[in-house]
Amino acid sequence: MLRTEPESLANLHHSPEEILRHPGFPSARRAFVDAILGLYENDVFLNRLLIEAGRHVVFMMLICMHARYREDDRSTWPTMGRLKEAMLQFDLSSSRRIEGLVARLVHHRFIQSAPSPLDGRVRILSPLDEMLERDADWLVAHYRPLQILYPEPGYPQILRRDRSFQKAHRSIAWDFAGHGAQILASNPDMMLFMSRDVGMMVLMKLIQTVGAEPEETSVRLSFAEIGERFGATRTHVRVILQDAEKVGLVDLSGNQVTLRRRIWRAFDSFIANSMAGHDLLYKLVAEEANG
């Protein structure tokens, strides 16, 4: 059963509020943006495959499911049906879209779908090395900002890509999927970008280009160039920003974009909540390993 973060764990990790107050947070924000763009910028294949909230969550849930897989416990089998059930709480993807993404992941050798050794009628979904390597990249990108804020004792197992620690991390993360769903649901401003193909990449590129503290800073952009970096058309980029303008997140004047304070607040809240969650998961895994 999926659950949210219990109150008894509240003192085990750095809270979002503490992270936002940390004097090093602006540096951590820059590190986060640079790390994520470093993974996906100019990689059209990955952007088309993964960079939209529903597709990204399916990718993560598959890895978490398999990390908990026990052949002798049918309730842990990573199957299509169990994946669809887990995705219901996120309200991001239809059954057909989930099936389509899994088919693409199989086609591109990210996962394999094979009959269970115990029941040939059931197909088990298992991540292959390419998928696990991409997941390790993603984890490193998310822990680098935490390493900036809290270098002692730091997060060495993730940063050195310890595969057994990665598996234990993903196994525990499955139990906190409900918490992740709450974070997404509570930040509709970020969901406007996350729910669009390459929407988050467009936002992060804007933030990286502005390179300033959270204030209403303007920058002139080529929508065509940004689209090319992430495998999208200039029209798609413009529509994302026009929709963001309608709800007061940005201002547009030709090719000039102004990020308003509201989107800075939403972005920082998203980062802080994500960092707090990753800090907690790391400490839970380390505690279990020492324990």
Side-chain angles (χ1 to χ4, degrees), residues 93-112:
S93 294
S94 67
S95 177
R96 181 174 296 180
R97 286 191 70 205
I98 293 170
E99 291 174 358
L101 177 59
V102 169
R104 291 182 68 195
L105 290 170
V106 170
H107 175 75
H108 291 293
R109 301 293 299 160
F110 278 75
I111 63 174
Q112 69 174 8

Side-chain angles (χ1 to χ4, degrees), residues 207-227:
I207 288 173
Q208 185 187 62
T209 303
V210 168
E213 293 305 303
E215 56 188 27
E216 296 192 356
T217 308
S218 298
V219 62
R220 188 172 295 278
L221 297 171
S222 165
F223 295 156
E225 181 182 343
I226 287 187

Side-chain angles (χ1 to χ4, degrees), residues 35 135-145 158-161:
D135 183 52
D137 291 342
W138 191 90
L139 285 171
V140 168
H142 280 72
Y143 276 94
R144 278 179 180 158
I158 289 293
L159 296 180
R160 66 171 179 253
R161 307 169 73 90

Side-chain angles (χ1 to χ4, degrees), residues 61-79:
M61 294 302 284
L62 277 167
I63 290 177
C64 292
M65 285 171 60
H66 196 268
R68 298 175 69 90
Y69 173 41
R70 302 294 179 269
E71 192 173 276
D72 61 351
D73 182 355
R74 195 181 186 99
S75 70
T76 69
W77 290 6
T79 64

Side-chain angles (χ1 to χ4, degrees), residues 118-291:
L118 301 183
D119 185 348
R121 299 168 301 175
V122 178
R123 300 194 73 83
I124 301 296
L125 303 174
S126 304
L128 298 173
D129 283 344
E130 178 69 13
M131 188 172 190
L132 293 172
E133 281 300 305
R134 296 293 185 178
D135 183 52
D137 291 342
W138 191 90
L139 285 171
V140 168
H142 280 72
Y143 276 94
R144 278 179 180 158
L146 280 164
Q147 183 71 23
I148 289 172
L149 299 186
Y150 308 107
E152 297 295 336
Y155 307 86
Q157 284 96 332
I158 289 293
L159 296 180
R160 66 171 179 253
R161 307 169 73 90
D162 184 313
R163 188 62 68 86
S164 63
F165 195 91
Q166 177 186 357
K167 181 177 180 180
H169 182 288
R170 288 315 197 187
S171 177
I172 289 179
W174 171 264
D175 284 333
F176 290 86
H179 185 57
Q182 287 182 349
I183 290 174
L184 293 178
S186 67
N187 199 332
D189 289 343
M190 287 301 298
M191 281 304 300
L192 184 146
F193 291 92
M194 295 181 71
S195 63
R196 311 293 185 86
D197 285 348
V198 309
M200 276 297 288
M201 296 300 101
V202 171
L203 175 59
M204 287 192 189
K205 192 61 186 177
L206 280 169
I207 288 173
Q208 185 187 62
T209 303
V210 168
E213 293 305 303
E215 56 188 27
E216 296 192 356
T217 308
S218 298
V219 62
R220 188 172 295 278
L221 297 171
S222 165
F223 295 156
E225 181 182 343
I226 287 187
E228 185 177 348
R229 289 175 182 271
F230 302 113
T233 66
R234 63 184 298 173
T235 300
H236 181 71
V237 173
R238 183 178 293 278
V239 168
I240 290 172
L241 294 174
Q242 286 174 336
D243 288 346
E245 182 181 39
K246 290 175 185 176
V247 296
L249 301 179
V250 304
D251 288 327
L252 298 179
S253 178
N255 280 1
Q256 184 165 297
V257 185
T258 301
L259 296 175
R260 304 192 67 181
R261 292 183 184 275
R262 178 172 153 187
I263 189 58
W264 282 106
R265 288 195 298 269
F267 188 70
D268 284 354
S269 175
F270 173 76
I271 293 176
N273 275 284
S274 176
M275 290 173 67
H278 282 95
D279 179 55
L280 172 62
L281 289 171
Y282 189 96
K283 288 174 177 174
L284 287 173
V285 176
E287 187 177 76
E288 188 172 278
N290 294 330

Side-chain angles (χ1 to χ4, degrees), residues 36-65:
I36 296 298
L37 287 175
L39 290 181
Y40 298 113
E41 192 170 4
N42 296 314
D43 193 329
V44 172
F45 168 71
L46 272 189
N47 276 284
R48 289 179 175 171
L49 185 66
L50 297 176
I51 304 305
E52 177 269 335
R55 295 198 294 269
H56 181 74
V57 173
V58 167
F59 183 96
M60 295 301 173
M61 294 302 284
L62 277 167
I63 290 177
C64 292
M65 285 171 60

